[in-house]
Amino acid sequence: MDSVPEEVLQTSLLPSLLDNAGMVAGVCHLWHNIMWTLRLSGSDSDICIQAIRALIRLGPATILLQAPLLLERLEHRGVMVRHSAVVALSALGTQWVSEHITPFLGLMEDPDEDISFIALCALTKLPCEELVQHAARFRACLKHPSPAARCGALQALSGIGPAAVAKHSKPIIAKLGDPDPQVRRSAAVALAVLPRADVPARATTALRKRLESDDEDPRVRTSVLETLAKHEQSAQDIRVDVTPGLQQLNLGVECLVPNGVMESRSV
């Protein structure tokens, strides 16, 4: 049997095969999307969670295709569904979060500690000029029952800059007396962004009172000392009880190790 000339293959069979291959690929893509839709929008929470976790493993490009459904899942009654959805959407990066900032702002007030914290972490990565208009929302989050959420709100306010810290200094100062030591430390770090000339007298008073208290967390005391040292240009006259009731030590600026960075919980 004679072979088919190459030019015949190019002009007849190949386009047909390509058309069929494109049709098959299109059908597969459509079926793939239908399966994701069924899994993400179904009533079974476990299946939905498994589907979101699979998306996370596949990476941002796949997550982006299902972003509209994931945004809907942020309002799901199931805590783990909301948690998985916000983790997936946070992976899309700061530009995407900036374009969809409203649901993330709403999640700051989520009753679940982890969800609120993840949303705050995503927001604090945005440029401060985008966050400044939402400073009041971060201030409100200082009352969140979760210590992690309160820390995130303090970090957001300090990240916006001195103007936001000065405007909302009263509730920030109040957090120096928070029951959680990490929140107390975050409050001291937030106050450190204020220039010396803008430090309210009540802030200095509250910081000194924290040193005079029986706070046993050394990180809190170190952060308070660093903030006072920055505000006063000298910590030579600050006397602190290293071990309350045992001895007094004069701590100078040279013994302080600046860090200025709040430790954040991994997500």
Side-chain angles (χ1 to χ4, degrees), residues 1-265:
M1 181 177 179
D2 295 335
S3 61
V4 180
E6 182 177 351
E7 57 271 15
V8 175
L9 287 173
Q10 292 177 345
T11 56
S12 58
L13 294 180
L14 185 58
S16 176
L17 288 172
L18 289 175
D19 287 344
N20 289 335
M23 183 181 299
V24 171
V27 170
C28 290
H29 182 71
L30 178 61
W31 175 250
H32 186 72
N33 281 337
I34 290 173
M35 292 304 297
W36 279 118
T37 301
L38 291 173
R39 291 170 181 170
L40 292 172
S41 60
S43 58
D44 191 313
S45 296
D46 290 337
I47 292 177
C48 182
I49 293 167
Q50 291 172 11
I52 297 174
R53 289 175 177 173
L55 285 173
I56 294 171
R57 288 193 295 270
L58 290 171
T62 308
I63 294 171
L64 185 60
L65 295 174
Q66 306 301 328
L69 282 174
L70 291 171
L71 284 170
E72 294 179 7
R73 298 297 88 183
L74 293 178
E75 300 178 4
H76 196 277
R77 66 180 183 276
V79 171
M80 288 308 300
V81 173
R82 297 199 307 276
H83 181 278
S84 300
V86 72
V87 169
L89 292 172
S90 297
L92 294 178
T94 54
Q95 181 62 39
W96 192 92
V97 173
S98 176
E99 294 170 358
H100 302 82
I101 192 170
T102 301
F104 282 85
L105 289 169
L107 286 175
M108 288 194 310
E109 301 172 8
D110 194 282
D112 182 78
E113 174 179 348
D114 289 337
I115 293 173
S116 176
F117 184 77
I118 294 167
L120 278 160
C121 286
L123 289 169
T124 53
K125 295 176 183 177
L126 300 181
C128 61
E129 58 269 19
E130 295 186 32
L131 297 178
V132 65
Q133 60 183 313
H134 305 293
R137 298 285 295 270
F138 294 117
R139 171 178 175 157
C141 199
L142 292 176
K143 299 180 180 179
H144 197 284
S146 162
R150 298 196 297 275
C151 285
L154 286 164
Q155 185 180 16
L157 287 169
S158 61
I160 293 172
V165 174
K167 183 176 180 180
H168 303 286
S169 61
K170 188 174 181 179
I172 293 174
I173 292 169
K175 291 298 130 183
L176 288 171
D178 194 275
D180 187 87
Q182 184 59 48
V183 177
R184 297 196 296 274
R185 180 171 182 250
S186 299
V189 171
L191 291 170
V193 307
L194 291 174
R196 184 181 180 185
D198 296 338
V199 179
R202 63 178 180 272
T204 302
T205 300
L207 287 164
R208 286 182 173 275
K209 284 184 176 180
R210 176 48 52 189
L211 282 181
E212 295 168 2
S213 71
D214 58 353
D215 199 318
E216 297 179 357
D217 193 308
R219 296 176 303 171
V220 175
R221 299 174 73 80
T222 299
S223 295
V224 170
L225 273 168
E226 290 171 356
T227 300
L228 281 170
K230 180 180 179 182
H231 290 170
E232 300 178 6
Q233 300 292 311
S234 173
Q236 296 287 352
D237 60 339
I238 300 174
R239 301 184 66 84
V240 291
D241 291 327
V242 175
T243 304
L246 292 183
Q247 63 178 352
Q248 297 275 338
L249 290 179
N250 279 322
L251 296 184
V253 178
E254 65 275 4
C255 73
L256 302 178
V257 181
N259 52 37
V261 179
M262 186 192 79
E263 294 179 0
S264 59
R265 187 178 58 172

